[in-house]
Amino acid sequence: PPTALALLCGSVAALAVWRWLGERQIQQKMEEARRSRDQGVKRMEKAVQRFREQISHVQSADILSLPLVQLARRLREGSLSPETVLYTYIEKALEVTQQTNCLRHFIPECEELLQEIQQRKEKGLLYGIPVSIKDHIGHKGHLSTCGLVQFLNAPMQEDSVLVKVLKKQGAIPFAFTNVPQSLFSYDCSNAIFGQTLNPLNHKKSPGGSSGGEGALIAGGGSILGFGSDIGGSIRLPSSFCGLCGLKPTGDRLSVCCSPPPPVPCVLGPMARDVDSLALCMKALLCKEMFQLDPTVPPIPFNEEVYLSSAPLRIGYYDTDGYFPLPPCMRRAVHETRDALQAAGHELVPFAPPRIHYVMTELFLKTFFADGGKAFLDLFTGNIVDPGLKPQVNCYRIPTLGKKLLALILKPLVRSLPLILRLKSYCGSICRSVSKMWNHQHQIMAYRTEFIASWRDLRLDVLLCPVLGPAFNTGYPGKLLTAISSTMLYNVLNFPAGVVPVSRVTEADEEELKLYQGYCDDPWDRTLKQAVRGAVGLPVAVQCVALPWQEELCLRLMKEVETLRRAK
């Protein structure tokens, strides 16, 4: 009837208007956030200009080229002023973010903090060092957005413990760096602040989720930065951008907002060399850290272990058997193994047990025990970034549909490796909460199994591959399962670090053409497309130690770095 038709049309029109108003409101919030960022950039440009007018003869290139250890020493002894160093790095950060879009916002309070630390009688280990921090690390009066619209109106009420300790040690947080939407991606793009580019090649991603940190440090705009890691988010940007990065054991450093166990999120440093990471850990593992967060074990940095020259017994492998990496990444492991052996260390083949089981039964099920509902809730009232759409669309499949698909694929698993990966991807995100206790027990049992294999071989540390080289932009969202090389050590809660050792050669690019991966399926072919065109980009390896042995992990990283430089 005409009346019913009119009501229906009116309801549809009202719904369309309501949706339009909602989307308009979202757009307005995002535009305001971008205006605020742009205003912050202009403010810092004026601050740098004022400084340049006062002191025109600054050797910026010399300051920017100093390693962190040398810069910290010169600041403490007074041959460089904190003011000169801060504005030099702000000026460089302005240049880098103009090219790569790596900054989310400057921290204007850095100028006040600069004046305050110069009045102190005691100079901390990081006195006068400008540091950058990832978007979601809490700083009083500033947002922690995670690239999501709903967090644009909730500034932090106080500094996180990490920021408090950095300030206590004399460091000056001066900038927040960009992140992917929701942080659950190893690209670096969100609908609010856009795509961050790799400073070494603007067609490439800087990695993620600490991709803004990777881009800023690799571009020279920061000497020390802080990211977070729950599946590789410190190590992957370090690999993609040619940096050194450390994922500590969970709770070795205070974390302001970590998901519950059994796979912890951790904060960690990123820098241009291993000594910088060691100095940073030494500075952070102090009484202030232990007093402010009693859940952090009071274990100071053991410099004796880090500086030791005793030969190491090092396990190694070049593939985990789940997602074979490009030829250049395996080459890096082989060359590093040979160099370590020639330097007097003992290298022992090691096979990480049951990576398919870890990836599907332990890692993915940790985050999607509710079928992905909590993850999807993050996007309520948000425009989904294009790089995340493949993941989001997969999680939007109804739970019953996921279960049916996993059940249909189960009989084919043994005969077709492709089906194993597809089935595991579907089956891993449709769990019942009643199985959570058993799931946690499975993780603890696997850790025990892994440590037993480690102990049987009497290993000190482990050398293994890391995902790389840098992906072309837009590809990380299509290959979530490619992070098995880093994810493993989040599940195990082992400290793990990345150090660059080589660069992609023309020969690597030619060999890539023959790459077939594990089963020459769509995932393997997509990986091939993701990494092509990488000649000249960094190639890294991963170093691992047992829990609470960050110093030993850094020791291996330093040994690898030294041997690389000696080539």
Side-chain angles (χ1 to χ4, degrees):
T3 303
L5 182 60
L7 285 172
L8 179 60
C9 292
S11 298
V12 170
L15 180 61
V17 170
W18 179 77
R19 289 186 63 180
W20 179 84
L21 289 172
E23 290 175 1
R24 179 60 185 155
Q25 189 176 31
I26 292 171
Q27 290 289 352
Q28 288 174 342
K29 287 182 179 180
M30 294 194 300
E31 288 167 6
E32 176 58 33
R34 289 191 283 266
R35 278 196 299 271
S36 176
R37 178 186 62 174
D38 294 343
Q39 290 167 2
V41 167
K42 290 177 181 177
R43 176 174 174 172
M44 286 297 105
E45 287 174 341
K46 290 179 180 178
V48 170
Q49 184 178 358
R50 286 195 304 270
F51 172 73
R52 284 294 185 184
E53 290 170 354
Q54 295 169 4
I55 306 175
S56 57
H57 302 294
V58 175
Q59 301 296 323
S60 297
D62 292 342
I63 293 172
L64 294 170
S65 67
L66 286 173
L68 177 62
V69 173
Q70 292 182 29
L71 180 62
R73 183 174 66 248
R74 291 190 59 179
L75 282 163
R76 286 198 301 273
E77 69 187 18
S79 61
L80 277 175
S81 73
E83 183 180 33
T84 299
V85 173
L86 175 62
Y87 287 111
T88 297
Y89 268 98
I90 289 176
E91 185 177 36
K92 184 63 177 178
L94 285 164
E95 177 188 324
V96 176
T97 197
Q98 186 177 19
Q99 297 169 354
T100 65
N101 189 39
C102 60
L103 291 187
R104 193 210 80 201
H105 212 291
F106 279 103
I107 301 173
E109 295 89 341
C110 67
E111 294 186 278
E112 298 171 15
L113 182 59
L114 170 67
Q115 301 304 318
E116 191 264 315
I117 68 161
Q118 291 183 110
Q119 303 303 317
R120 294 181 188 175
K121 293 181 180 179
E122 293 186 10
K123 297 180 179 179
L125 290 176
L126 299 176
Y127 172 74
I129 299 295
V131 299
S132 51
I133 56 178
K134 189 175 180 177
D135 162 279
H136 72 108
I137 296 175
H139 190 294
K140 184 178 180 179
H142 288 270
L143 300 172
S144 175
T145 74
C146 301
L148 295 163
V149 172
Q150 64 260 44
F151 297 141
L152 289 177
N153 297 319
M156 304 301 291
Q157 298 302 307
E158 64 175 336
D159 288 340
S160 60
V161 171
L162 178 75
V163 170
K164 288 178 180 178
V165 176
L166 285 170
K167 290 180 178 180
K168 182 70 176 179
Q169 288 286 15
I172 305 175
F174 76 100
F176 291 103
T177 50
N178 200 27
V179 294
Q181 190 177 33
S182 81
L183 306 184
F184 205 80
S185 168
Y186 60 99
D187 202 348
C188 193
S189 176
N190 63 73
I192 305 169
F193 303 108
Q195 171 78 52
T196 297
L197 304 175
N198 191 315
L200 308 178
N201 182 333
H202 291 177
K203 294 180 181 179
K204 298 286 184 175
S205 167
S209 60
S210 309
E213 282 299 323
L216 182 62
I217 300 168
S222 176
I223 194 168
L224 178 64
F226 293 87
S228 60
D229 194 311
I230 199 169
S233 291
I234 288 173
R235 290 161 290 161
L236 294 173
S238 297
S239 171
F240 284 19
C241 294
L243 302 174
C244 297
L246 176 69
K247 179 204 82 68
T249 310
D251 290 330
R252 187 77 198 264
L253 298 176
S254 178
V255 179
C256 51
C257 51
S258 174
V263 179
C265 176
V266 299
L267 300 182
M270 300 166 65
R272 297 195 297 251
D273 57 66
V274 180
D275 280 341
S276 298
L277 304 181
L279 175 61
C280 175
M281 292 298 289
K282 182 180 178 181
L284 292 176
L285 296 174
C286 61
K287 65 178 182 179
E288 285 79 17
M289 173 72 75
F290 308 140
Q291 288 171 354
L292 288 168
D293 188 349
T295 67
V296 175
I299 308 172
F301 187 79
N302 190 333
E303 202 158 17
E304 183 180 350
V305 172
Y306 176 62
L307 296 176
S308 171
S309 58
L312 296 169
R313 186 172 168 88
I314 306 168
Y316 74 90
Y317 62 90
D318 65 1
T319 179
D320 60 17
Y322 181 81
F323 215 110
L325 301 180
C328 61
M329 308 311 288
R330 301 177 76 170
R331 171 179 64 78
V333 173
H334 298 159
E335 291 179 353
T336 305
R337 173 201 62 194
D338 295 344
L340 287 166
Q341 208 155 21
H345 300 286
E346 187 176 1
L347 278 291
V348 182
F350 179 82
R354 301 191 294 150
I355 302 300
H356 286 85
Y357 168 77
V358 178
M359 190 69 187
T360 59
E361 295 297 321
L362 303 185
F363 181 73
L364 290 174
K365 286 187 177 181
T366 294
F367 300 102
F368 302 108
D370 60 354
K373 182 181 183 301
F375 177 75
L376 291 176
D377 286 346
L378 293 173
F379 297 92
T380 302
N382 275 278
I383 296 172
V384 179
D385 186 80
L388 270 177
K389 282 186 177 179
Q391 289 173 231
V392 172
N393 290 339
C394 180
Y395 307 142
R396 280 176 174 163
I397 299 173
T399 299
L400 180 60
K402 297 169 190 169
K403 289 183 176 180
L404 287 173
L405 186 56
L407 189 65
I408 292 168
L409 296 173
K410 189 174 181 179
L412 304 175
V413 163
R414 291 185 179 179
S415 57
L416 295 173
L418 162 61
I419 300 301
L420 172 59
R421 293 209 285 212
L422 184 58
K423 182 259 178 188
S424 63
Y425 198 64
C426 296
S428 65
I429 50 182
C430 51
R431 295 181 64 239
S432 146
V433 177
S434 65
K435 297 179 180 178
M436 283 297 294
W437 286 111
N438 184 54
H439 175 66
Q440 295 200 29
H441 170 74
Q442 288 174 328
I443 288 180
M444 296 305 298
Y446 181 78
R447 286 175 183 161
T448 301
E449 176 187 350
F450 195 99
I451 291 172
S453 299
W454 184 297
R455 295 293 195 199
D456 286 345
L457 293 173
R458 306 188 315 281
L459 302 180
D460 296 313
V461 283
L462 192 62
L463 171 72
C464 55
V466 62
L467 182 62
F471 280 22
N472 294 312
T473 54
Y475 276 89
K478 304 173 184 178
L479 287 167
L480 175 61
T481 53
I483 65 171
S484 60
S485 60
T486 50
M487 164 282 310
L488 173 62
Y489 298 104
N490 295 91
V491 172
L492 290 168
N493 196 20
F494 285 14
V498 162
V499 58
V501 296
S502 182
R503 293 190 178 274
V504 180
T505 66
E506 293 284 359
D508 292 326
E509 197 78 4
E510 286 299 313
E511 193 173 352
L512 179 65
K513 295 176 182 178
L514 305 176
Y515 170 90
Q516 291 186 328
Y518 183 53
C519 46
D520 198 24
D521 62 19
W523 279 281
D524 290 329
R525 290 191 286 274
T526 301
L527 179 66
K528 195 172 177 178
Q529 296 165 5
V531 300
R532 67 186 176 189
V535 173
L537 291 181
V539 174
V541 294
Q542 185 172 205
C543 303
V544 184
L546 290 174
W548 310 108
Q549 294 186 11
E550 280 73 15
E551 297 87 345
L552 197 55
C553 180
L554 288 166
R555 159 83 203 285
L556 175 59
M557 292 172 66
K558 179 63 178 177
E559 188 76 12
V560 169
E561 180 185 65
T562 301
L563 293 171
R564 179 203 69 184
R565 290 176 175 176
K567 283 183 180 179

